[in-house]
Amino acid sequence: MRYLVLSDIHANLEALEAVLAEARGYDQTLVLGDVIGYGADPNAVVDRLRALTGVTFIRGNHDKVGTGLDPVGGFNHLARHAIQWTATTLTPDNHAWVAALGRGPVEIDDLVEICHGSPFDEDAYIFDELDVRHAFTAATRPLCLFGHTHVPAVFCIGPSGLQPVGPPRGTHFQITLEHGSRYLVNCGAVGQPRDADPRAAYGIVDTDARLLTVLRVEYDMPLAQAKILAAGLPEVLAHRLAIGR
Ligand code: ZN
């Protein structure tokens, strides 16, 4: 089985379209949450995702706040402004669809599980070694795919403990998933990368070949930025796309 891995699309239609145009040879798609928030195309992105087949979705924190499932209080000023705009922009039908997205983690097969933040808490971030060790104790599959930080990352625990891998950088980064090792992998954000590479990020997991690839693709960023400004969203949300932060 080959999975296309998409996370943190954040209403960036141009980035999503670029990834879908470039990604090849996958059987199913995994969407790890935060389909909305920050970007100017929540309805077009949701419509595009709803039209895909063979997709497993889970929700992110922006999906919850944008549909009223969680309070906005935990968001900073920028995220709050954007999600409040998003909440009033979503059509009732798309609002209901986003609100019904399932909670992670979800076990996909014997090798793969997915979560938005971490396998122990859908809203928790995996940044440092403590987060990583906590996540490995909670993960139930050899490969746990996560999102939420918008930073591509690979953590591996093998027979001798935690091993440094990566980080995934460049246009095409590939690792072999070794038997006897366990992995926590963030394939990056489609719609708002924060690793200083502004290109859209996505992953391909081939469970038969035990290969995981993180890829980057250019997209029509000026159009995505112009839409953010035209919507009256904070300028910094347009600028940050260009610097990948
Ligand atoms: Zn996000």
Side-chain angles (χ1 to χ4, degrees):
M1 183 68 72
R2 280 168 53 103
Y3 298 109
L4 170 64
V5 183
L6 307 177
S7 191
D8 298 281
I9 299 163
H10 280 296
N12 187 333
L13 180 66
E14 288 67 36
L16 175 62
E17 292 290 5
V19 169
L20 292 175
E22 185 191 78
R24 291 281 179 275
Y26 56 90
D27 310 297
Q28 294 189 20
T29 301
L30 308 175
V31 177
L32 276 53
D34 277 3
V35 299
I36 58 170
Y38 295 130
D41 271 316
N43 285 307
V45 162
V46 170
D47 289 342
R48 188 74 168 93
L49 292 173
R50 293 177 71 172
L52 299 175
T53 57
V55 187
T56 301
F57 292 97
I58 54 173
R59 66 190 185 185
N61 52 319
H62 286 254
D63 305 321
K64 288 193 292 181
V65 173
T67 55
L69 295 175
D70 268 351
V72 74
F75 275 17
N76 65 32
H77 168 73
L78 283 175
R80 181 179 306 193
H81 187 141
I83 207 65
Q84 287 171 336
W85 176 86
T86 301
T88 60
T89 301
L90 278 175
T91 65
D93 193 40
N94 283 339
H95 183 284
W97 184 86
V98 174
L101 292 173
R103 174 200 301 262
V106 170
E107 293 164 345
I108 301 299
D109 59 24
D110 289 344
L111 182 67
V112 180
E113 70 179 311
I114 60 173
C115 58
H116 182 65
S118 81
F120 58 87
D121 179 342
E122 62 180 339
D123 296 331
Y125 291 89
I126 297 176
F127 275 122
D128 61 23
E129 186 176 328
L130 198 62
D131 305 328
V132 169
R133 290 189 180 279
H134 192 178
F136 270 126
T137 63
T140 61
R141 293 291 183 268
L143 174 60
C144 178
L145 298 167
F146 69 99
H148 198 29
T149 64
H150 300 204
V151 177
V154 177
F155 303 101
C156 172
I157 192 161
S160 58
L162 279 177
Q163 299 168 1
V165 182
R169 295 292 182 265
T171 303
H172 185 277
F173 173 93
Q174 188 170 70
I175 60 167
T176 299
L177 303 167
E178 304 288 349
H179 289 276
S181 293
R182 300 169 67 215
Y183 297 84
L184 282 169
V185 178
N186 187 327
C187 294
V190 171
Q192 195 197 75
R194 294 181 190 164
D195 63 334
D197 183 341
R199 294 176 295 174
Y202 67 101
I204 296 282
V205 177
D206 184 331
T207 60
D208 298 322
R210 294 185 72 95
L211 290 173
L212 182 148
T213 313
V214 177
L215 301 110
R216 306 304 284 258
V217 59
E218 305 261 5
Y219 69 93
D220 190 348
M221 183 185 302
L223 181 54
Q225 291 175 309
K227 289 178 175 178
I228 286 171
L229 299 177
L233 290 164
E235 275 184 34
V236 69
L237 293 177
H239 296 323
R240 72 185 303 176
L241 293 179
I243 57 174
R245 288 295 187 192

